[in-house]
Amino acid sequence: MLASIEKKKTNEKHLNNMKKYILSIAVASLLYTKTEACAWSDPDYDYFNLFTQSIIKDKSYLPFLHNYSSRFYTDFNASQIPNENIESWREFFGNELSYSETDYLVNTISMNDLNALKKGTPNNQLLNKLGTGFYARYREAIDYLIEAKYLEPYMRINYVERPDSFYYRENENDKNATQLDYNKTVSALISLYNAAKNPEIKQRYGYQLVRFNHYMRNYDAAVKAFKTYVHPIKLKGAPYYMALDQLAGAQRGLQLWNEANWNFFQVFINSKSRKESSFVSMKLSDSASFNNLLKRAGTNEEKNMVYFLLGYEDYTNPIPMMEKMYEIDPDSEILKVMAARSINELERNYLPTYYYASKDSDKTSDKKNSAETAQGTEIKKKELSFWQKIVLFFKNLFGGKKSDKAEDKSAQSNDELFENPDRIPTYIKNNAYYYDQDENQKDFLDDLEKFTSKTKEKSKDEYWQIADAYLKFLKKDYQQSSKILAEIKTTNPEYLEEIKRMKVLNDIVSQPKIDAEYENHLMKNYAEYFIEKPIPEKDSTEAGKYDYYGKVPSTAEFLKDVLANRYFLQGEDGKSFLMNNTLSDLQYNPNSSLVKSVEQFYRKPDKTEFEKQIIAKNLNNVGNIEAFFVNIYGDRAMKMADFDKAKMYYQKAQKFSGIPRDNYERYNPKTGNYEKLVYNGEIYDGFNNIPNLVFGHNVWESFQSSDAESMKAEDYSAFTFIKSKMNKLELADALIQLKKIGNGKDLKASKANQLIGNVLYNTSILGYYRHLFVMDVDNSNGGKYDFWTTEKETPYQYYYKNFAYTTFIEPDNFDLSLNYYQKALNLSNDREQKARILFQMASAEQGKYYQYETKHPGNIDYADPKWSEKNDAHEKQMAQLKNQKYRNYFILLKSQYSDTKTAKELMGSCSYFEYFMRR
């Protein structure tokens, strides 16, 4: 059985490692593949976007803002990007139509409707409004639109399937250019071109000629058409760049790489709606491509754009490229895009939605320690009012001596709270696990702040002041950030919204301690950020945006995280926990100290309105709350073998209504289905229906099998108070009676101590009933059954968000079961019983080894070329230690009891024991 235990532990380790490995590969791949709505994870849901990138004024650059889940930023409405072709048509029509009406006329109205207008019998609502005189005034334009709408369905290149093509495409009936009569189409377009009098309309016909030849793969003819019909007309509006885009595509087909890149580059600069497509069309895979563009760049705008493209592709540190752009034009829109991307990159590492590092981690973060904070980035403290200083003085004067306990967080001064390096926001290098990290990544906050401060003095756009204020917020210089915000004068609605949000952030994050007075301030001034409102169906606003990834992180959620962190640092763990979790979540990590803190908040008589409406609402339905708490306390007392205390708690827990698993389903081997958990009075519910097999011993190691298969009952005939099924109160009472009997000196006392030892072992992390005292419904595997533990007060470093992701249960004390087994061994004269007891002791001793092993990992870097050699050496060292210090009872069993029937039976059921006995 010990072999089975070791094998189970190794397999679970390998399984967990494999899960993590597969997860990391799967998630990392999202960086390179455009994430569709059905995907299960989106890295852009792992930050709060407090600095709204999209406030840039030139919306044509929206696709080039920063994100990870797709190549281009997509969190905007496509209609926000202006279309220069529609703007050009609107101007052509003398602004008689609105933008939307022009778009409808150009892109939606059918060719038949336009022909009806031409005949003087319009039947379309918009065309009726315009009247037949509209055609008379704009005859050439309407005739062109009729021809364009005729051609449009065919204006796509003919896809040619290659024999070795990776993707399978079914036969498609889509129209393409090859389905038009080439000579007839070209002849018609040339004729219309020659007949047109208006230069812009002529150029549009030229565009159609270039596009048609391009899609026919007549690349030389496309180039010639541009030179003949587009370029000679000295207009460089929307039609010109639409044609230039097609010319560049034809040049790509002719493998004229540099010419194609340059023309796509011109489209990128001059077109508003084609920036994304032209960027994709450019092939900028090496430094030579950029150098060629830079050599040809004749204007400051062109040079600026080249530097932007270079900075866009290489993002380890954007500042050097931004400096070059600043030298050319400190007021350029594209420089603001780079700044937005840079701020977003910093925000993801300063303000992630979850801090993964724990206090025991060797890779906690690259956050500055308190000494570095003092010497480097100084934390600007919030100024206290004169009255607050007086109150604080008297609190310190009469508040008694400050506690000498390092853990007494409530006694911290304002300065201590401000200087805590774990005070959010704080920098976490390579925080995200889902995309490849560049080893050269650095915290460029200081450099970007200097750059922004410099640029805001040169540029007239308030954008740079807002950016500067935000960077000072990240640096915890809240006073200066607030000062900058107060001085900004703007009427831009997006800027005003950002300024409003940042003022709230500065106020809350700069508060030294969150006390009752400040909680009242939050409810009075910022209730909108904390009181959840019902989300209307099909609401597409930020507040109600849901999809397969869950809810988009919001400013309100960030503020809740900040407050959870503040309560955590202040020692108010119960409030910190309830900011991010519900009461029922305690079942997943029923740590005694945390549960006690939550209970203290629950019983607090004078809660503030903030505590009532925001925190206490998470005291969700767990049935009888009093019974919920005392059941957890009773469980811990049982784990500590304090049966009298456990009984006292369990007497108050008899109204416990079951572990709250409303949406829990588990596999039923009898039906082969996953079925909703229903406490029907027969199954274990966290308090009732514990079988007497908990006093027995396991015959083989299988948590998935029924207890009747895995466990064997002892002889309980001498202990009539042990019932076939018990609740926890009855179990505690039975253990108390066994403990009294165990104080005797006879064989019955020996058996009583053995049964107590069995219960303690069977309910430990290694036992079949490992779930009884850790608020679990069954023994199926999970984080509660990892041997991971912490030397710290808590494994959490910032707050209790994602509570169930980290084990937070006090570890087993295997010495407790060993002590009872030792008493049983000393009082017994029965060699068979002694053999069984020694094997149970060997099993508990193995638990002590697992705990030691987990606390002393090899920590060998996989990148180490001698990893295999070092890992083998570490495993050899641990095996040697195990045999020297954690095989005492195995050795005793082998040396003195190998001839017993029990030992021989164990050899038949435990392969490792058989191997050990035959060595």
Side-chain angles (χ1 to χ4, degrees), residues 804-842:
Y805 290 11
T806 304
T807 304
F808 189 30
I809 301 175
E810 296 94 333
D812 291 303
N813 183 352
F814 286 98
D815 284 330
L816 296 173
S817 57
L818 284 170
N819 290 340
Y820 280 102
Y821 281 137
Q822 189 65 58
K823 290 180 183 179
L825 190 68
N826 294 342
L827 293 171
S828 177
N829 294 318
D830 185 330
R831 286 175 56 77
E832 297 296 336
Q833 183 191 12
K834 283 192 169 189
R836 166 57 61 187
I837 293 170
L838 282 171
F839 186 79
Q840 292 297 111
M841 295 177 80

Short mmCIF file of all heavy atoms in Angstrom, two decimals, residues 804-842:
data_model
loop_
_atom_site.label_atom_id
_atom_site.label_comp_id
_atom_site.label_asym_id
_atom_site.label_seq_id
_atom_site.Cartn_x
_atom_site.Cartn_y
_atom_site.Cartn_z
N ALA A 804 -9.51 29.99 -4.22
CA ALA A 804 -9.41 28.53 -4.34
C ALA A 804 -8.19 28.08 -5.12
O ALA A 804 -7.93 26.89 -5.22
CB ALA A 804 -10.68 27.98 -5.00
N TYR A 805 -7.43 29.04 -5.71
CA TYR A 805 -6.28 28.66 -6.53
C TYR A 805 -5.07 28.28 -5.71
O TYR A 805 -4.10 27.73 -6.23
CB TYR A 805 -5.90 29.80 -7.47
CG TYR A 805 -6.88 30.06 -8.59
CD1 TYR A 805 -8.14 29.48 -8.60
CD2 TYR A 805 -6.54 30.89 -9.63
CE1 TYR A 805 -9.03 29.72 -9.62
CE2 TYR A 805 -7.43 31.15 -10.66
CZ TYR A 805 -8.68 30.56 -10.65
OH TYR A 805 -9.56 30.81 -11.67
N THR A 806 -5.06 28.58 -4.41
CA THR A 806 -3.89 28.33 -3.57
C THR A 806 -4.32 27.56 -2.33
O THR A 806 -5.30 27.92 -1.70
CB THR A 806 -3.24 29.66 -3.15
OG1 THR A 806 -2.91 30.41 -4.30
CG2 THR A 806 -1.99 29.41 -2.32
N THR A 807 -3.58 26.53 -1.98
CA THR A 807 -3.89 25.76 -0.79
C THR A 807 -3.68 26.62 0.45
O THR A 807 -2.64 27.25 0.61
CB THR A 807 -2.99 24.51 -0.70
OG1 THR A 807 -3.15 23.75 -1.90
CG2 THR A 807 -3.38 23.65 0.48
N PHE A 808 -4.67 26.64 1.31
CA PHE A 808 -4.60 27.49 2.50
C PHE A 808 -5.23 26.75 3.68
O PHE A 808 -6.15 27.22 4.32
CB PHE A 808 -5.33 28.81 2.21
CG PHE A 808 -5.15 29.87 3.27
CD1 PHE A 808 -4.01 29.95 4.03
CD2 PHE A 808 -6.15 30.78 3.48
CE1 PHE A 808 -3.85 30.92 4.99
CE2 PHE A 808 -6.01 31.79 4.44
CZ PHE A 808 -4.85 31.85 5.19
N ILE A 809 -4.75 25.54 3.95
CA ILE A 809 -5.24 24.72 5.04
C ILE A 809 -4.05 24.33 5.90
O ILE A 809 -2.99 23.97 5.37
CB ILE A 809 -5.95 23.45 4.52
CG1 ILE A 809 -7.13 23.84 3.62
CG2 ILE A 809 -6.42 22.57 5.67
CD1 ILE A 809 -7.80 22.65 2.97
N GLU A 810 -4.21 24.39 7.22
CA GLU A 810 -3.11 24.00 8.09
C GLU A 810 -2.74 22.54 7.82
O GLU A 810 -3.62 21.69 7.67
CB GLU A 810 -3.51 24.17 9.56
CG GLU A 810 -3.80 25.59 9.96
CD GLU A 810 -5.26 25.99 9.87
OE1 GLU A 810 -5.98 25.39 9.03
OE2 GLU A 810 -5.68 26.88 10.61
N PRO A 811 -1.44 22.24 7.76
CA PRO A 811 -1.02 20.88 7.41
C PRO A 811 -1.32 19.88 8.53
O PRO A 811 -1.50 20.25 9.69
CB PRO A 811 0.49 21.03 7.18
CG PRO A 811 0.89 22.22 7.99
CD PRO A 811 -0.29 23.15 7.93
N ASP A 812 -1.36 18.60 8.16
CA ASP A 812 -1.56 17.53 9.14
C ASP A 812 -0.36 17.43 10.07
O ASP A 812 0.78 17.68 9.68
CB ASP A 812 -1.75 16.19 8.42
CG ASP A 812 -3.05 16.11 7.66
OD1 ASP A 812 -4.11 16.29 8.28
OD2 ASP A 812 -3.01 15.87 6.44
N ASN A 813 -0.65 17.02 11.29
CA ASN A 813 0.41 16.69 12.25
C ASN A 813 0.40 15.18 12.43
O ASN A 813 -0.38 14.63 13.22
CB ASN A 813 0.15 17.41 13.58
CG ASN A 813 1.26 17.15 14.59
OD1 ASN A 813 2.15 16.33 14.36
ND2 ASN A 813 1.21 17.86 15.71
N PHE A 814 1.25 14.51 11.66
CA PHE A 814 1.26 13.04 11.70
C PHE A 814 1.77 12.50 13.03
O PHE A 814 1.54 11.33 13.35
CB PHE A 814 2.09 12.49 10.54
CG PHE A 814 1.41 12.59 9.21
CD1 PHE A 814 1.71 13.63 8.34
CD2 PHE A 814 0.45 11.67 8.82
CE1 PHE A 814 1.08 13.74 7.12
CE2 PHE A 814 -0.18 11.77 7.60
CZ PHE A 814 0.13 12.81 6.74
N ASP A 815 2.44 13.33 13.81
CA ASP A 815 2.91 12.87 15.12
C ASP A 815 1.74 12.55 16.04
O ASP A 815 1.89 11.73 16.95
CB ASP A 815 3.80 13.95 15.77
CG ASP A 815 5.18 13.99 15.14
OD1 ASP A 815 5.65 12.93 14.69
OD2 ASP A 815 5.79 15.07 15.10
N LEU A 816 0.60 13.18 15.81
CA LEU A 816 -0.57 12.90 16.66
C LEU A 816 -1.01 11.45 16.51
O LEU A 816 -1.23 10.75 17.51
CB LEU A 816 -1.70 13.85 16.31
CG LEU A 816 -1.44 15.35 16.58
CD1 LEU A 816 -2.58 16.20 16.03
CD2 LEU A 816 -1.24 15.59 18.07
N SER A 817 -1.15 11.00 15.27
CA SER A 817 -1.54 9.59 15.07
C SER A 817 -0.42 8.67 15.51
O SER A 817 -0.68 7.61 16.12
CB SER A 817 -1.90 9.34 13.60
OG SER A 817 -0.83 9.68 12.75
N LEU A 818 0.83 9.06 15.26
CA LEU A 818 1.96 8.22 15.68
C LEU A 818 2.00 8.05 17.20
O LEU A 818 2.31 6.96 17.70
CB LEU A 818 3.28 8.84 15.19
CG LEU A 818 3.59 8.66 13.71
CD1 LEU A 818 4.78 9.52 13.30
CD2 LEU A 818 3.87 7.20 13.38
N ASN A 819 1.66 9.12 17.93
CA ASN A 819 1.66 9.02 19.40
C ASN A 819 0.62 8.02 19.89
O ASN A 819 0.88 7.23 20.81
CB ASN A 819 1.39 10.40 20.01
CG ASN A 819 2.55 11.35 19.81
OD1 ASN A 819 3.68 10.93 19.56
ND2 ASN A 819 2.28 12.65 19.91
N TYR A 820 -0.57 8.05 19.29
CA TYR A 820 -1.60 7.08 19.70
C TYR A 820 -1.21 5.67 19.29
O TYR A 820 -1.44 4.70 20.04
CB TYR A 820 -2.96 7.47 19.13
CG TYR A 820 -3.63 8.56 19.93
CD1 TYR A 820 -3.64 9.87 19.49
CD2 TYR A 820 -4.24 8.27 21.15
CE1 TYR A 820 -4.25 10.88 20.23
CE2 TYR A 820 -4.87 9.27 21.90
CZ TYR A 820 -4.85 10.58 21.43
OH TYR A 820 -5.46 11.56 22.18
N TYR A 821 -0.63 5.52 18.11
CA TYR A 821 -0.17 4.20 17.69
C TYR A 821 0.92 3.68 18.63
O TYR A 821 0.98 2.49 18.95
CB TYR A 821 0.36 4.27 16.26
CG TYR A 821 -0.70 4.27 15.18
CD1 TYR A 821 -0.59 5.12 14.08
CD2 TYR A 821 -1.80 3.42 15.24
CE1 TYR A 821 -1.55 5.14 13.07
CE2 TYR A 821 -2.76 3.42 14.24
CZ TYR A 821 -2.64 4.28 13.17
OH TYR A 821 -3.58 4.28 12.17
N GLN A 822 1.78 4.58 19.05
CA GLN A 822 2.87 4.16 19.95
C GLN A 822 2.31 3.66 21.29
O GLN A 822 2.79 2.65 21.84
CB GLN A 822 3.83 5.33 20.20
CG GLN A 822 5.09 4.95 20.95
CD GLN A 822 5.97 3.99 20.16
OE1 GLN A 822 6.38 4.28 19.06
NE2 GLN A 822 6.25 2.81 20.75
N LYS A 823 1.29 4.36 21.80
CA LYS A 823 0.65 3.90 23.03
C LYS A 823 0.06 2.51 22.82
O LYS A 823 0.17 1.63 23.68
CB LYS A 823 -0.45 4.86 23.45
CG LYS A 823 0.04 6.21 23.96
CD LYS A 823 -1.15 7.08 24.35
CE LYS A 823 -0.71 8.46 24.80
NZ LYS A 823 -1.87 9.32 25.16
N ALA A 824 -0.62 2.35 21.67
CA ALA A 824 -1.22 1.04 21.37
C ALA A 824 -0.14 -0.03 21.27
O ALA A 824 -0.32 -1.16 21.77
CB ALA A 824 -2.00 1.13 20.07
N LEU A 825 0.97 0.29 20.66
CA LEU A 825 2.06 -0.68 20.49
C LEU A 825 2.65 -1.07 21.83
O LEU A 825 2.92 -2.26 22.10
CB LEU A 825 3.14 -0.06 19.60
CG LEU A 825 4.24 -0.99 19.11
CD1 LEU A 825 3.68 -2.02 18.12
CD2 LEU A 825 5.35 -0.19 18.43
N ASN A 826 2.82 -0.09 22.71
CA ASN A 826 3.42 -0.37 24.03
C ASN A 826 2.53 -1.23 24.90
O ASN A 826 3.02 -2.00 25.74
CB ASN A 826 3.70 0.95 24.75
CG ASN A 826 4.78 1.77 24.05
OD1 ASN A 826 5.55 1.25 23.25
ND2 ASN A 826 4.82 3.07 24.36
N LEU A 827 1.21 -1.12 24.73
CA LEU A 827 0.27 -1.85 25.60
C LEU A 827 -0.11 -3.22 25.04
O LEU A 827 -0.75 -4.01 25.74
CB LEU A 827 -1.00 -1.02 25.78
CG LEU A 827 -0.85 0.29 26.56
CD1 LEU A 827 -2.14 1.10 26.49
CD2 LEU A 827 -0.49 0.00 28.03
N SER A 828 0.30 -3.53 23.83
CA SER A 828 -0.15 -4.77 23.20
C SER A 828 0.88 -5.89 23.36
O SER A 828 2.09 -5.67 23.30
CB SER A 828 -0.41 -4.53 21.72
OG SER A 828 -0.77 -5.73 21.07
N ASN A 829 0.34 -7.08 23.55
CA ASN A 829 1.17 -8.29 23.55
C ASN A 829 0.84 -9.17 22.36
O ASN A 829 1.40 -10.26 22.22
CB ASN A 829 0.95 -9.08 24.86
CG ASN A 829 1.47 -8.30 26.06
OD1 ASN A 829 2.54 -7.70 26.00
ND2 ASN A 829 0.70 -8.31 27.17
N ASP A 830 -0.06 -8.71 21.52
CA ASP A 830 -0.51 -9.47 20.35
C ASP A 830 0.37 -9.12 19.17
O ASP A 830 0.36 -7.99 18.67
CB ASP A 830 -1.97 -9.12 20.07
CG ASP A 830 -2.56 -9.96 18.94
OD1 ASP A 830 -1.81 -10.38 18.04
OD2 ASP A 830 -3.79 -10.18 18.94
N ARG A 831 1.17 -10.09 18.71
CA ARG A 831 2.11 -9.82 17.63
C ARG A 831 1.40 -9.43 16.32
O ARG A 831 1.91 -8.60 15.55
CB ARG A 831 3.00 -11.05 17.39
CG ARG A 831 4.05 -11.23 18.48
CD ARG A 831 4.84 -12.51 18.28
NE ARG A 831 5.48 -12.59 16.97
CZ ARG A 831 6.59 -11.93 16.62
NH1 ARG A 831 7.19 -11.14 17.48
NH2 ARG A 831 7.11 -12.09 15.40
N GLU A 832 0.25 -10.01 16.07
CA GLU A 832 -0.50 -9.66 14.86
C GLU A 832 -0.96 -8.20 14.92
O GLU A 832 -0.87 -7.46 13.94
CB GLU A 832 -1.70 -10.59 14.66
CG GLU A 832 -1.35 -12.05 14.44
CD GLU A 832 -0.57 -12.26 13.15
OE1 GLU A 832 -0.69 -11.42 12.21
OE2 GLU A 832 0.16 -13.26 13.06
N GLN A 833 -1.47 -7.82 16.10
CA GLN A 833 -1.90 -6.42 16.26
C GLN A 833 -0.71 -5.49 16.13
O GLN A 833 -0.80 -4.43 15.50
CB GLN A 833 -2.58 -6.22 17.62
CG GLN A 833 -3.11 -4.79 17.81
CD GLN A 833 -3.54 -4.50 19.23
OE1 GLN A 833 -3.24 -5.28 20.14
NE2 GLN A 833 -4.20 -3.37 19.43
N LYS A 834 0.42 -5.89 16.72
CA LYS A 834 1.61 -5.04 16.64
C LYS A 834 2.09 -4.87 15.20
O LYS A 834 2.52 -3.79 14.80
CB LYS A 834 2.73 -5.63 17.51
CG LYS A 834 2.55 -5.41 18.99
CD LYS A 834 3.83 -5.75 19.76
CE LYS A 834 3.73 -5.27 21.19
NZ LYS A 834 5.02 -5.39 21.89
N ALA A 835 2.01 -5.94 14.41
CA ALA A 835 2.41 -5.85 13.00
C ALA A 835 1.52 -4.86 12.26
O ALA A 835 2.00 -4.02 11.47
CB ALA A 835 2.34 -7.23 12.35
N ARG A 836 0.20 -4.92 12.53
CA ARG A 836 -0.72 -3.98 11.89
C ARG A 836 -0.43 -2.55 12.33
O ARG A 836 -0.41 -1.63 11.51
CB ARG A 836 -2.16 -4.38 12.25
CG ARG A 836 -3.23 -3.33 11.96
CD ARG A 836 -3.26 -2.90 10.52
NE ARG A 836 -3.55 -3.99 9.61
CZ ARG A 836 -3.49 -3.89 8.29
NH1 ARG A 836 -3.11 -2.74 7.73
NH2 ARG A 836 -3.79 -4.92 7.52
N ILE A 837 -0.20 -2.36 13.64
CA ILE A 837 0.08 -1.01 14.15
C ILE A 837 1.36 -0.46 13.53
O ILE A 837 1.42 0.70 13.12
CB ILE A 837 0.18 -1.03 15.69
CG1 ILE A 837 -1.18 -1.35 16.30
CG2 ILE A 837 0.70 0.30 16.21
CD1 ILE A 837 -1.13 -1.61 17.80
N LEU A 838 2.38 -1.28 13.43
CA LEU A 838 3.66 -0.82 12.86
C LEU A 838 3.49 -0.41 11.39
O LEU A 838 4.10 0.56 10.93
CB LEU A 838 4.72 -1.91 12.99
CG LEU A 838 5.36 -2.06 14.37
CD1 LEU A 838 6.22 -3.31 14.44
CD2 LEU A 838 6.19 -0.81 14.70
N PHE A 839 2.68 -1.15 10.68
CA PHE A 839 2.46 -0.77 9.28
C PHE A 839 1.72 0.57 9.20
O PHE A 839 2.03 1.41 8.35
CB PHE A 839 1.66 -1.85 8.55
CG PHE A 839 1.53 -1.58 7.08
CD1 PHE A 839 2.58 -1.86 6.21
CD2 PHE A 839 0.39 -1.00 6.56
CE1 PHE A 839 2.48 -1.59 4.86
CE2 PHE A 839 0.28 -0.71 5.21
CZ PHE A 839 1.33 -1.01 4.36
N GLN A 840 0.74 0.77 10.10
CA GLN A 840 0.03 2.05 10.13
C GLN A 840 0.99 3.18 10.50
O GLN A 840 0.92 4.28 9.94
CB GLN A 840 -1.13 1.98 11.13
CG GLN A 840 -2.27 1.05 10.72
CD GLN A 840 -2.96 1.49 9.45
OE1 GLN A 840 -2.85 0.83 8.42
NE2 GLN A 840 -3.65 2.62 9.49
N MET A 841 1.90 2.88 11.42
CA MET A 841 2.89 3.88 11.81
C MET A 841 3.83 4.20 10.65
O MET A 841 4.21 5.37 10.43
CB MET A 841 3.68 3.41 13.03
CG MET A 841 2.82 3.27 14.29
SD MET A 841 3.74 2.64 15.71
CE MET A 841 4.58 4.11 16.26
N ALA A 842 4.20 3.18 9.89
CA ALA A 842 5.04 3.40 8.71
C ALA A 842 4.32 4.29 7.69
O ALA A 842 4.95 5.13 7.04
CB ALA A 842 5.42 2.06 8.09
#
